[in-house]
Amino acid sequence: MKIEMELNGRAVTHEIDPGANLLSVLRGMGQFSVKLGCETGDCGSCTVLLDGEPVNSCVVAAARTHSHKVTTLEGLLGDPLMKELQQELVDKGAVQCGYCSPGILISLYAHFRAGNELTDHHLREALTGNLCRCTGYVKPLEAALTVAQNQQGGPDEQGGAS
Ligand code: FES
Ligand code: FES
């Protein structure tokens, strides 16, 4: 079957298997930031934005994205907020094997863009759907809190990282 979607701001038409998940279709379209982990909706490594909301693309039928907007990390590389998040993950040493990093970046980006609270508690919640085997979440959280502090004009307006 044929689907038409807006992928990273560009209208694309793609022939898909009716049973295909969005993860496999996106990777077939060269979106290699979308990682295959559990394929059961548990690890978050395949997180993308569907109409601006983070979803686990392994459990979204590709057919469902017909006439919808899909955004992957590739589509956000020029975005100032995404650049800042990426740089902080690197600076804080939060990218070890890096397999979880695209999903973490998409989840944090969506959280910030939605205007959610940027406290330690809320940033932890934003990452609950993203499993990371390497970092113990301390460093990704530190990175997120630093970006939050920058966005909010300084550390005094934050609740702290503990
Ligand atoms: S691969 Fe999609 S949630 Fe794990
Ligand atoms: S950095 Fe390896 S799984 Fe997160």
Side-chain angles (χ1 to χ4, degrees):
M1 66 181 287
K2 196 171 278 188
I3 58 168
E4 295 172 15
M5 67 164 95
E6 187 181 308
L7 176 61
N8 296 332
R10 203 165 50 89
V12 294
T13 302
H14 201 66
E15 191 69 36
I16 64 160
D17 179 327
N21 63 25
L22 180 57
L23 163 65
S24 61
V25 168
L26 288 173
R27 287 186 62 84
M29 296 167 85
Q31 305 297 298
F32 297 121
S33 72
V34 188
K35 303 298 186 202
L36 171 59
C38 62
E39 219 174 2
T40 54
D42 295 311
C43 76
S45 63
C46 64
T47 307
V48 300
L49 300 179
L50 177 57
D51 296 330
E53 295 292 328
V55 296
N56 291 326
S57 60
C58 68
V59 290
V60 173
R64 201 186 125 202
T65 65
H66 180 69
S67 300
H68 290 273
K69 293 182 184 179
V70 175
T71 308
T72 66
L73 182 60
E74 284 86 343
L76 295 170
L77 295 179
D79 184 282
L81 172 59
M82 182 55 82
K83 280 187 183 172
E84 192 178 351
L85 288 166
Q86 286 180 300
Q87 192 59 55
E88 282 302 330
L89 281 192
V90 172
D91 290 351
K92 294 288 188 297
V95 179
Q96 293 185 26
C97 81
Y99 205 78
C100 67
S101 303
I104 282 180
L105 284 165
I106 293 283
S107 293
L108 288 175
Y109 179 88
H111 184 84
F112 276 74
R113 278 283 180 254
N116 291 311
E117 289 192 56
L118 301 178
T119 63
D120 177 88
H121 170 75
H122 289 90
L123 290 167
R124 282 173 194 264
E125 280 195 339
L127 292 177
T128 52
N130 296 89
L131 299 185
C132 176
R133 295 279 178 138
C134 305
T135 67
Y137 301 97
V138 173
K139 292 177 183 300
L141 188 62
E142 282 178 6
L145 280 166
T146 299
V147 176
Q149 288 165 359
N150 294 342
Q151 299 274 316
Q152 295 182 328
D156 291 341
E157 295 180 34
Q158 278 298 301
S162 58

Short mmCIF file of all heavy atoms in Angstrom, two decimals, residues 94-101 104 131-135 140, ligand 2:
data_model
loop_
_atom_site.label_atom_id
_atom_site.label_comp_id
_atom_site.label_asym_id
_atom_site.label_seq_id
_atom_site.Cartn_x
_atom_site.Cartn_y
_atom_site.Cartn_z
N ALA A 94 27.19 11.81 28.78
CA ALA A 94 25.97 11.01 28.83
C ALA A 94 25.82 10.08 27.62
O ALA A 94 24.87 9.32 27.56
CB ALA A 94 24.75 11.94 28.91
N VAL A 95 26.76 10.18 26.70
CA VAL A 95 26.71 9.30 25.51
C VAL A 95 27.82 8.28 25.67
O VAL A 95 28.99 8.60 25.51
CB VAL A 95 26.90 10.12 24.22
CG1 VAL A 95 26.86 9.19 23.01
CG2 VAL A 95 25.82 11.19 24.11
N GLN A 96 27.45 7.07 26.04
CA GLN A 96 28.47 6.02 26.20
C GLN A 96 28.39 5.09 25.00
O GLN A 96 29.03 5.35 23.99
CB GLN A 96 28.30 5.36 27.55
CG GLN A 96 28.63 6.37 28.67
CD GLN A 96 28.62 5.81 30.06
OE1 GLN A 96 28.83 4.63 30.29
NE2 GLN A 96 28.36 6.67 31.03
N CYS A 97 27.56 4.05 25.03
CA CYS A 97 27.41 3.29 23.77
C CYS A 97 26.63 4.12 22.76
O CYS A 97 26.77 3.96 21.56
CB CYS A 97 26.73 1.95 24.02
SG CYS A 97 24.94 2.04 24.16
N GLY A 98 25.77 5.01 23.26
CA GLY A 98 25.03 5.93 22.39
C GLY A 98 23.76 5.36 21.77
O GLY A 98 23.05 6.08 21.08
N TYR A 99 23.48 4.09 22.06
CA TYR A 99 22.32 3.48 21.39
C TYR A 99 21.01 4.13 21.82
O TYR A 99 20.10 4.28 21.02
CB TYR A 99 22.28 1.98 21.68
CG TYR A 99 21.54 1.20 20.62
CD1 TYR A 99 22.16 0.92 19.41
CD2 TYR A 99 20.24 0.79 20.81
CE1 TYR A 99 21.50 0.23 18.41
CE2 TYR A 99 19.56 0.09 19.82
CZ TYR A 99 20.20 -0.19 18.62
OH TYR A 99 19.53 -0.86 17.65
N CYS A 100 20.94 4.54 23.07
CA CYS A 100 19.71 5.14 23.57
C CYS A 100 19.61 6.63 23.25
O CYS A 100 18.56 7.23 23.43
CB CYS A 100 19.64 4.98 25.09
SG CYS A 100 20.94 5.95 25.93
N SER A 101 20.73 7.22 22.84
CA SER A 101 20.80 8.69 22.78
C SER A 101 19.76 9.34 21.86
O SER A 101 19.15 10.35 22.27
CB SER A 101 22.21 9.13 22.38
OG SER A 101 23.15 8.61 23.29
N ILE A 104 16.47 9.36 23.71
CA ILE A 104 16.51 10.29 24.84
C ILE A 104 16.41 11.73 24.34
O ILE A 104 15.67 12.55 24.90
CB ILE A 104 17.80 10.06 25.66
CG1 ILE A 104 17.63 8.82 26.54
CG2 ILE A 104 18.16 11.28 26.50
CD1 ILE A 104 18.82 8.46 27.40
N LEU A 131 15.08 3.55 28.12
CA LEU A 131 16.02 2.74 28.89
C LEU A 131 17.45 3.05 28.46
O LEU A 131 17.73 3.21 27.27
CB LEU A 131 15.75 1.25 28.69
CG LEU A 131 14.37 0.75 29.13
CD1 LEU A 131 14.31 -0.76 28.98
CD2 LEU A 131 14.07 1.16 30.56
N CYS A 132 18.33 3.14 29.46
CA CYS A 132 19.75 3.33 29.18
C CYS A 132 20.52 2.35 30.05
O CYS A 132 20.43 2.40 31.27
CB CYS A 132 20.18 4.76 29.47
SG CYS A 132 21.96 5.01 29.26
N ARG A 133 21.28 1.47 29.42
CA ARG A 133 22.03 0.45 30.15
C ARG A 133 23.35 0.98 30.68
O ARG A 133 23.96 0.36 31.52
CB ARG A 133 22.32 -0.74 29.22
CG ARG A 133 21.09 -1.48 28.77
CD ARG A 133 20.65 -2.43 29.84
NE ARG A 133 19.44 -3.13 29.46
CZ ARG A 133 19.26 -4.43 29.68
NH1 ARG A 133 20.20 -5.15 30.22
NH2 ARG A 133 18.14 -5.00 29.35
N CYS A 134 23.82 2.08 30.12
CA CYS A 134 25.19 2.51 30.41
C CYS A 134 25.32 3.57 31.49
O CYS A 134 26.25 3.52 32.28
CB CYS A 134 25.85 3.07 29.15
SG CYS A 134 25.83 1.97 27.73
N THR A 135 24.45 4.54 31.52
CA THR A 135 24.75 5.76 32.29
C THR A 135 24.09 5.81 33.65
O THR A 135 24.43 6.67 34.46
CB THR A 135 24.29 7.01 31.53
OG1 THR A 135 22.86 7.00 31.47
CG2 THR A 135 24.87 7.07 30.13
N PRO A 140 22.57 11.83 31.73
CA PRO A 140 21.52 12.43 30.89
C PRO A 140 20.67 13.45 31.65
O PRO A 140 20.30 14.50 31.12
CB PRO A 140 20.68 11.23 30.43
CG PRO A 140 21.62 10.08 30.49
CD PRO A 140 22.53 10.36 31.66
S1 FES B 2 24.49 5.21 26.56
FE1 FES B 2 24.41 3.04 26.22
S2 FES B 2 22.32 2.53 26.51
FE2 FES B 2 22.44 4.62 27.02
#
